[in-house]
Amino acid sequence: MQRDFCPGGALAVKSGDRVVPRLNRVITAFTKASLPIFFTRDWHPRNHVSFKEQGGIWPPHCVMGTAGAEFHPKLRVPREAFVISKGTKADLEAYSGFQGTDLEKRLKEAGVREVFLGGLATDYCIKETSLNALDAGLKVKVLQDCVRGVNRREGDSELALREAVARGARLVTSSHAVGLVTRVRKPSSKPRPA
Ligand code: ZN
């Protein structure tokens, strides 16, 4: 969820910012349940291979250190959250949060067996991250009301979600995810009175 992918940004996804409030509810619920949160971000050098000038298909976006690479200003980013930068090498594209990063290692270290995915964009980064998460042996739930697609071709987002589901991902709503983790009680530090 970076500025450049939201309306007004260099590679804006239509209504991309509309998912922020729902994502924030999930982030708050997971934080309260002491569950780890991972933010992935495009963090490209100026001459990144995905940019049109270098023969890629995208306008320059999310150049490291620029305002466009910042998270959406309304996105809740807890201090304890992990931030994973991807696409940091000029000659490597990385739609997936796993590609060229230590995300898998960090998830394993945090004891994560299941991931809930949200953000932008459905037909690129969400799709590839879902597939790589499945490859890594994780259960994958895509928060279908917390994603938006680029849709260079009409229907790309639906196709992407269908492929992820065919490979074993599940589509759930943010309310479902919030309900689920709200019921998970973290181990109480105080013994219950006898
Ligand atoms: Zn990019």
Side-chain angles (χ1 to χ4, degrees):
M1 287 305 311
Q2 291 164 278
R3 282 174 181 265
D4 268 347
F5 295 130
C6 294
L11 180 43
V13 174
K14 198 176 165 214
S15 311
D17 55 339
R18 299 272 289 278
V19 303
V20 171
R22 285 191 286 269
L23 273 175
N24 281 343
R25 282 200 285 279
V26 175
I27 290 163
T28 300
F30 274 57
T31 304
K32 279 188 186 155
S34 301
L35 293 167
I37 300 168
F38 295 78
F39 291 85
T40 64
R41 62 177 182 187
D42 271 14
W43 199 247
H44 297 317
R46 288 191 180 277
N47 60 344
H48 191 247
V49 66
S50 74
F51 299 169
K52 280 179 180 155
E53 301 161 334
Q54 320 295 330
I57 59 172
W58 305 117
H61 62 276
C62 300
V63 171
M64 49 178 75
T66 64
E70 287 168 11
F71 290 123
H72 187 281
K74 295 231 168 78
L75 184 71
R76 194 165 294 161
V77 183
R79 213 175 315 125
E80 62 271 36
F82 298 90
V83 175
I84 306 286
S85 300
K86 64 189 180 70
T88 58
K89 294 206 177 88
D91 55 344
L92 280 182
E93 174 59 308
Y95 289 139
S96 160
F98 290 87
Q99 219 173 332
T101 70
D102 62 354
L103 177 57
E104 184 173 350
K105 186 173 148 262
R106 285 173 182 250
L107 287 166
K108 297 262 151 86
E109 280 168 2
V112 172
R113 285 167 294 161
E114 178 171 29
V115 291
F116 293 74
L117 301 180
L120 308 172
T122 314
D123 32 359
Y124 294 91
C125 299
I126 291 289
K127 175 188 167 188
E128 297 302 325
T129 303
S130 311
L131 297 180
N132 280 174
L134 290 164
D135 291 339
L138 297 161
K139 280 199 215 169
V140 175
K141 297 214 168 105
V142 178
L143 301 164
Q144 56 184 340
D145 56 341
C146 295
V147 296
R148 285 279 192 283
V150 178
N151 294 313
R152 295 180 87 225
R153 282 167 310 237
E154 209 186 312
D156 273 357
S157 292
E158 284 158 51
L159 274 177
L161 291 179
R162 217 178 298 160
E163 187 178 341
V165 167
R167 292 270 302 276
R170 274 187 59 199
L171 305 182
V172 300
T173 62
S174 54
S175 308
H176 170 86
V178 168
L180 210 60
V181 303
T182 308
R183 285 196 297 272
V184 175
R185 284 276 149 258
K186 46 183 165 173
S188 175
S189 50
K190 285 182 216 152
R192 289 170 69 187

